[in-house]
Amino acid sequence: MKLHEYQSKFLFREFGIPIPNGQVAKTPDEAAAIASQLGVPVVVKAQVHVGGRGKAGGVKLARDAEEARRYAADILGMDIKGLVVQQVLVDPGADIQQEIYLAITNDRGAGSPLIMSSLEGGMDIEELNRSRPDAIIREHIDPILGLNGFQTTHIASAMGLPRAHWRSFGNILRSLYRCYIESDAELAEINPLVITGEGELLAVDGKVIIDDNALFRQPKLAAQRDDSGEPESESLAREAGISYIKLDGQIGCMVNGAGLAMTTMDMTKLYGDADRIGPANFLDIGGGASPEQVAAALRIILSDAKVQCVLINIFGGITRCDEVADGILTAYNEVKPSVPMVIRLQGTNASEGNAIISQAQIPNIISAQTLTQAAQLAVAAVKERA
Amino acid sequence: MSIFIDRNSLVLVQGITGRQGGFHARLMMAYGTKVVGGVTPGKGGEWFEGVPVFDTMRAAVRTTNADTSLVTVPARFAPDAIMEAADAGVKLIICLTEHIPVADMMKVVTFCQRLGSRLIGPNCPGVMTPGQAKVGIIPAMVAEPGNVGVVSKSGTLTYEVGFAMKNAGIGISTIVGIGGDPVIGTTFVDVLEMFENDPETEKVALLGEIGGSAEIVAADFIKNAMTKPVAAFIAGRSAPPGKRMGHAGAIVDGGEGSADEKIQALEAAGARVANNPEAIPNLLA
């Protein structure tokens, strides 16, 4: 779960990391009030869950309250990469002498936390990693021992940070590590961490991503979820406990298991891409696939008006295909889809399952034997409707 | 021969009195796996299908001499259960549990390495040596004994490929589900190395997916250290970047982990990559 910049920085502040004392505004008037209260030039920053806000015009420097009001009016309601800006952060402008990059993330390959730090902060880290990989200091942390003092010194020294700042940098790094651990973050990033004209360190921008699997023990952070940019179907799925992601094709996919769900999507694209036909969604119905789950999944898939055909691919292992078939019929009668459904049941009790489907004699249900055949039939069904 | 498990493996099931644990323990027993006991704190002294239930792993290992453990407990308790198994001296720990926080797994994987226990998973379907034993939830019907080793990040996709192989008359030495989480105990390379050294395995099928770089590292290993032919499939070619596709680890992030880059690396390493999982048997024939 991503936190907004302001949520990330307010979280940093709780761990003792210095941040600018800005506030969030939802209207131009609020932005102007915050700016006049701060009494200095301010930065008005769009709060949306996408990168590249600055380039999109979502970050503006305002000299006074009137300018802050005008910029806030421009930015609020702005569409940045498909997301509408609903709030802005109004921060006092900082006197920037030097920009540092500092982040802690999970290194999947190493199976341990990784600190990345660079004196060339401010820019996109992926860009820096491509152009000047040696400018980034990387330090792995033993997950059982945690961050050691000598590692902090090593990082400050190796990145070439002037000695005058080692103490405050060390404090910030230790705080950020505590924040990363205690918040179950996948990423805790300060970019930039600036050295001001007065020689203070200040976290001017921040990004925190929380591990979804740890939200059960992070109720305060879970409550900060902003799903306003999320398609309604995805919110519905999350509430139903179904793993679903909306895409922009025409074939609605219902599959058991994440790997097979991705594979089923790939197959619709493999056979349909020449005709610009592809998957409308990722959907993993999980184990069991009870009638209630199948019905909920079908409703979610059909809530996408672009769907021209539903492809159900179930490989029954522990899941029994006859039970899934019952679930499909119940769901069918409840939801009454107007689009054709291609159904492929394989594995445990597949012949019983297929018999249940064929006996029901529903005209717009098409049976398939293999995944290949199922994908081809679904593509053909979409073409027929076009 | 086979890797990880065979008909002589002595298996404990952690969470055997639970719904999932009990259900799969019965199927494992029916397959011929030597399930010698189970552990559920507070239920020590009870019996399950003729095998004893213990309160702790230490007591269970002392009494049964088990060398393998299957962890089926929920995510909140699984990290502790895995560490308990390693602490009790179990050499092979297989964890099915999904949704364990990554921070916990980083500690647990490190702990197991230090104690010399091999962890497979979490969030995996387990291991099956067809005709001998299965530890986990892989259905018996998807594989016959043979000489192809299968290693996979996914559950049902593995069943799909196993079933296609079975229909084509191709048997399997061992299936290893390594799991779809970002931090796991056993990697593709660990398993490829074991298949390379296993006299009963002649060919290998690798089933990967988007996210992380484990398949790229595997491609390096295939190029530099493997003599046995490898067929592969990578799921997620049609997945958009920045979205997590069900598995916690299945996300193309910052331009890294795409299916195309993995397919290119595997092909460059000499592996034969299928664009359709049902075509894997053709590449193994």
Side-chain angles (χ1 to χ4, degrees):
Chain A
M1 185 190 98
K2 287 180 187 168
L3 295 185
H4 283 301
E5 176 198 358
Y6 79 90
Q7 294 168 328
S8 304
K9 279 156 54 177
F10 291 178
L11 182 66
F12 291 161
R13 183 162 60 195
E14 286 176 34
F15 285 88
I17 297 171
I19 63 164
N21 61 337
Q23 289 176 54
V24 176
K26 289 187 169 146
T27 64
D29 285 348
E30 282 175 23
I34 296 165
S36 60
Q37 194 191 337
L38 290 168
V40 289
V42 293
V43 193
V44 182
K45 305 169 92 176
Q47 301 295 294
V48 276
H49 288 311
V50 288
R53 293 175 301 176
K55 279 180 196 151
V59 179
K60 287 270 163 51
L61 185 63
R63 279 164 301 184
D64 54 35
E66 266 325 293
E67 229 177 42
R69 182 196 309 275
R70 214 165 55 237
Y71 286 138
D74 291 346
I75 294 172
L76 287 164
M78 181 187 270
D79 185 311
I80 301 182
K81 297 180 186 169
L83 293 180
V84 177
V85 182
Q86 292 177 334
Q87 44 195 357
V88 292
L89 175 63
V90 182
D91 256 358
D95 171 14
I96 298 173
Q97 298 297 310
Q98 168 81 45
E99 295 186 309
I100 297 168
Y101 177 88
L102 180 63
I104 309 173
T105 185
N106 300 336
D107 184 339
R108 301 171 59 143
S112 64
L114 172 67
I115 296 177
M116 291 188 288
S117 190
S118 175
L119 274 195
E120 299 183 25
M123 68 194 291
D124 180 36
I125 188 67
E126 283 148 23
E127 183 54 44
L128 181 61
N129 194 26
R130 269 189 295 273
S131 57
R132 304 235 314 111
D134 293 343
I136 305 170
I137 304 302
R138 295 174 178 78
E139 181 76 1
H140 283 100
I141 305 303
D142 185 304
I144 295 177
L145 291 178
L147 175 63
N148 291 302
F150 67 85
Q151 293 180 295
T152 314
T153 314
H154 163 75
I155 292 165
S157 160
M159 68 194 274
L161 183 71
R163 285 201 179 122
H165 304 298
W166 284 14
R167 180 188 290 269
S168 47
F169 177 78
N171 286 337
I172 288 173
L173 179 51
R174 275 186 293 277
S175 298
L176 189 65
Y177 191 77
R178 267 184 50 227
C179 172
Y180 159 86
I181 292 290
E182 291 177 23
S183 311
D184 277 301
E186 300 179 351
L187 172 72
E189 179 187 79
I190 307 175
N191 188 26
L193 173 66
V194 308
I195 304 177
T196 66
E198 293 86 45
E200 307 283 339
L201 269 64
L202 193 64
V204 163
D205 201 347
K207 184 174 172 187
V208 173
I209 303 175
I210 308 296
D211 180 353
D212 289 329
N213 286 339
L215 287 173
F216 74 90
R217 62 186 179 202
Q218 299 290 349
K220 265 177 68 187
L221 293 171
Q224 295 191 41
R225 179 189 294 279
D226 174 9
D227 55 13
S228 57
E230 188 178 76
E232 197 195 337
S233 49
E234 288 187 14
S235 311
L236 280 173
R238 189 150 37 74
E239 281 154 26
I242 289 168
S243 181
Y244 169 92
I245 291 159
K246 190 184 170 325
L247 305 171
D248 35 352
Q250 306 86 342
I251 299 175
C253 302
M254 188 193 305
V255 187
N256 64 330
L260 190 56
M262 270 188 274
T263 302
T264 304
M265 284 162 40
D266 294 349
M267 295 285 277
T268 64
K269 195 173 176 194
L270 179 65
Y271 294 108
D273 203 31
D275 300 294
R276 300 185 156 211
I277 293 168
N281 62 273
F282 167 93
L283 189 149
D284 172 11
I285 197 161
S290 65
E292 296 76 30
Q293 265 173 304
V294 176
L298 196 55
R299 272 193 297 267
I300 290 160
I301 289 171
L302 294 170
S303 73
D304 175 0
K306 278 186 80 176
V307 169
Q308 296 294 310
C309 175
V310 176
L311 167 51
I312 301 181
N313 180 30
I314 303 292
F315 198 102
I318 304 315
T319 306
R320 286 171 42 184
C321 289
D322 51 340
E323 290 182 359
V324 175
D326 284 335
I328 291 170
L329 293 185
T330 310
Y332 181 89
N333 289 324
E334 209 185 300
V335 184
K336 290 268 184 255
S338 58
V339 299
M341 293 176 33
V342 175
I343 298 176
R344 187 260 183 159
L345 303 173
Q346 192 49 272
T348 307
N349 292 3
S351 48
E352 292 87 337
N354 285 317
I356 291 170
I357 300 288
S358 64
Q359 275 158 22
Q361 294 191 332
I362 297 169
N364 62 347
I365 285 187
I366 308 159
S367 266
Q369 290 299 311
T370 64
L371 173 53
T372 306
Q373 193 195 8
Q376 288 168 336
L377 286 170
V379 168
V382 174
K383 276 205 243 176
E384 211 168 284
R385 287 170 62 85
Chain B
M1 243 187 76
S2 55
I3 67 169
F4 292 126
I5 60 165
D6 59 26
R7 58 173 59 84
N8 298 315
S9 299
L10 301 179
V11 182
L12 291 169
V13 176
Q14 292 175 261
I16 199 165
T17 59
R19 200 168 55 86
Q20 287 286 323
F23 181 74
H24 294 297
R26 280 191 193 92
L27 290 175
M28 283 158 55
M29 288 168 166
Y31 195 72
T33 311
K34 285 188 179 135
V35 177
V36 294
V39 170
T40 302
K43 300 215 168 164
E46 294 183 11
W47 293 81
F48 176 90
E49 299 289 333
V51 301
V53 179
F54 300 88
D55 284 320
T56 66
M57 281 299 287
R58 289 189 195 179
V61 171
R62 200 164 53 225
T63 309
T64 63
N65 287 318
D67 48 34
T68 303
S69 185
L70 177 70
V71 177
T72 67
V73 304
R76 287 174 204 215
F77 311 109
D80 192 63
I82 297 168
M83 291 194 286
E84 186 187 4
D87 169 79
V90 175
K91 289 297 161 211
L92 177 64
I93 305 162
I94 298 170
C95 180
L96 307 180
T97 311
E98 193 180 358
H99 299 310
I100 302 177
V102 174
D104 295 354
M105 279 322 299
M106 292 195 293
K107 282 187 185 163
V108 168
V109 167
T110 307
F111 185 78
C112 289
Q113 281 166 354
R114 283 181 195 165
L115 269 67
S117 293
R118 169 158 301 282
L119 170 67
I120 297 178
N123 191 13
C124 80
V127 179
M128 175 157 88
T129 294
Q132 298 198 39
K134 67 166 193 151
V135 179
I137 61 173
I138 299 171
M141 51 118 18
V142 302
E144 298 291 337
N147 59 18
V148 176
V150 177
V151 58
S152 172
K153 274 185 175 176
S154 149
T156 46
L157 173 59
T158 312
Y159 312 163
E160 185 85 61
V161 171
F163 191 68
M165 287 167 64
K166 180 172 142 175
N167 288 338
I170 300 172
I172 290 175
S173 54
T174 302
I175 299 178
V176 185
I178 60 171
D181 270 9
V183 174
I184 52 179
T186 295
T187 64
F188 277 128
V189 169
D190 296 329
V191 181
L192 290 176
E193 190 171 12
M194 293 180 77
F195 279 141
E196 176 69 14
N197 296 326
D198 173 31
E200 299 255 314
T201 299
E202 289 175 16
K203 296 174 184 175
V204 175
L206 180 151
L207 309 176
E209 64 189 27
I210 54 164
S213 57
E215 292 83 354
I216 307 275
V217 181
D220 270 351
F221 183 82
I222 290 167
K223 191 174 181 178
N224 299 319
M226 277 195 83
T227 59
K228 297 177 183 177
V230 178
F233 176 76
I234 302 293
R237 288 184 90 157
S238 59
K243 293 276 188 180
R244 207 175 286 276
M245 309 303 280
H247 284 155
I251 178 167
V252 179
D253 207 2
E256 194 196 84
S258 75
D260 287 342
E261 81 181 19
K262 295 181 182 203
I263 290 167
Q264 278 169 21
L266 285 163
E267 282 180 339
R272 304 176 74 186
V273 184
N275 62 6
N276 175 340
E278 289 174 330
I280 288 265
N282 306 335
L283 302 185
L284 292 166

